[in-house]
Amino acid sequence: RALPRSTTPRRHQVMSSDLNVESIGALIPPSCVFEELPADLAVYEHVVAAREAVLSILAGHSDRFLLILQPRLGPSDQADGESAADAALRLAADAKAACDAHPQLQLLVLPTTTDTTPSNEALRSLRRSLLALNRHGVAAAAAFADTITPQYVSDLLAYACVPASSAMCELVSGLSMPAGVEGSAAEPERVATALGLAAQSHHFLGVSSAGLCGIVESTGHPQAHAVLHSLPAGGNKLADAAARCSTAL
C-alpha cells in the first residue's frame, strides 16, 4: 500500500526544515558494535561481581570505601599517541596495586575519551576502554550525558552517574547498574527531587540494540542514590547538605 503523499510542497519543506543543520550522519547500531567488540563470560562475571560489591557498599552492608578514578589525558599524552584505553589501563595498574595493599577500597575506573565530538568511532573507543579494564580485573564506571550512549556500553559497567536533570533521571530509571544522580551540595533538594524521579517508571525516547528508535518503558531504579558535589566552604556544609537531601527524600 502506497503511503499518503505529503500535502506540503517539497520546496516549502526545504524552506522550513534543517535550516541550521550541516549534515546528519548514520549512527552504527549497538548490535554491530557488540559484534565488533564482544565481551566473554569472564568479563560479565566480573561486571556482576563488581556491581554486587558496589551495592553492598552503598547499602551499608560493607565497611569498604568506593574509590572512583578518572585518568586525565593531557596534550603530551595525545601527542605520544596514548589512547583512552591505554591511559585507563595505566591508571588502573597503579590504582589496583594500591587497592591490593588496602583491601578496604573498592576501585572503579572511569575512562576518559579524547573524542570530544560524538561519532561512531568514539562509541567504539569507549567500549574498547571498558573491555580492556574489565579484562584486567578492574571494575569500570561511566558518566552519561545522553540517553543513547548507554546502549553501547551498559553491559560492561559496575557503576554510572548522571546529572540531576529530568531527561537523565528517566535514563537512570531503566539502567541495570548502580547509578548516582549528581548535583551541587548547594541544591540538595533539587538532587532529591531528581532521585525521586529516577525511582519511578517512565516512558522516554531511546535506541534499541538493533539501532531502531523507540519508546523505552522503564520500571524505576531501586538502587539509585544522590551524589553531592562538595562546597568550597568545607565539610560541615556538605554534611548539612546531605542532611537536607535526606530530609527531602
Side-chain angles (χ1 to χ4, degrees):
R1 180 183 176 184
L3 294 175
R5 298 186 63 181
S6 171
T7 57
T8 305
R10 175 59 184 165
R11 64 179 182 275
H12 291 169
Q13 290 179 343
V14 172
M15 291 172 60
S16 62
S17 300
D18 297 337
L19 298 182
N20 297 307
V21 176
E22 181 69 27
S23 65
I24 299 177
L27 183 66
I28 186 171
S31 57
C32 292
V33 180
F34 296 157
E35 187 173 347
E36 292 177 21
L37 301 167
D40 54 27
L41 180 59
V43 165
Y44 286 132
E45 288 178 342
H46 179 259
V47 170
V48 171
R51 288 180 181 178
E52 291 176 348
V54 171
L55 286 174
S56 179
I57 294 171
L58 294 174
H61 299 152
S62 170
D63 59 358
R64 301 174 72 194
F65 289 93
L66 187 62
L67 176 63
I68 302 177
L69 301 177
Q70 182 176 27
R72 298 294 183 186
L73 287 181
S76 60
D77 298 319
Q78 297 179 38
D80 292 339
E82 184 176 39
S83 68
D86 292 337
L89 286 177
R90 175 169 49 81
L91 174 65
D94 295 337
K96 194 169 185 294
C99 288
D100 289 342
H102 301 280
Q104 71 272 26
L105 295 178
Q106 169 64 48
L107 171 69
L108 296 174
V109 172
L110 196 159
T112 299
T113 177
T114 57
D115 302 297
T116 57
T117 302
S119 68
N120 290 327
E121 186 51 41
L123 293 170
R124 291 187 180 98
S125 176
L126 178 58
R127 185 169 179 84
R128 199 175 291 117
S129 297
L130 297 172
L131 273 172
L133 287 170
N134 281 287
R135 285 171 176 160
H136 281 75
V138 178
F144 293 130
D146 65 79
T147 61
I148 295 177
T149 301
Q151 291 290 349
Y152 294 82
V153 298
S154 61
D155 60 317
L156 303 175
L157 297 175
Y159 181 82
C161 58
V162 306
S165 67
S166 57
M168 298 312 298
C169 288
E170 290 177 349
L171 168 68
V172 171
S173 70
L175 291 179
S176 300
M177 74 293 295
V181 177
E182 59 180 355
S184 171
E187 300 179 303
E189 290 83 7
R190 178 173 176 268
V191 177
T193 298
L195 190 56
L197 289 174
Q200 301 173 14
S201 61
H202 293 278
H203 293 79
F204 58 94
L205 300 181
V207 175
S208 72
S209 60
L212 299 175
C213 295
I215 300 173
V216 180
E217 181 179 358
S218 65
T219 60
H221 200 313
Q223 291 126 357
H225 60 279
V227 178
L228 298 177
H229 296 166
S230 61
L231 298 169
N236 288 337
K237 292 206 171 184
L238 181 58
D240 292 341
R244 287 167 54 193
C245 184
S246 178
T247 299
L249 286 173

